[in-house]
Amino acid sequence: MAIVLIAAAGAAIQGLYGNVHPLKALIVGGPAILGVIAGTALQQRVPERAVSFAFAVLLVISAVLLVV
């Protein structure tokens, strides 16, 4: 919840400066909201070990992309 409040405050302040593009915000924010809902629904259904392994794979892929 803290992230939502901080992000909303930041978006509101940047909106006052004219730095927020509503269409681009929807393109990024819409899938993010769906991801949060899906992640919350799957949280208790996926074994912790599988989540840890998937996160480790993601970190390795990110590291390889940063080096290449």
Side-chain angles (χ1 to χ4, degrees), residues 25-58:
L26 285 174
I27 291 171
V28 172
I33 292 170
L34 293 175
V36 168
I37 293 169
T40 303
L42 290 173
Q43 176 185 6
Q44 299 298 320
R45 293 176 179 85
V46 178
E48 183 179 342
R49 191 171 180 110
V51 174
S52 295
F53 180 75
F55 187 63
V57 170
L58 177 66

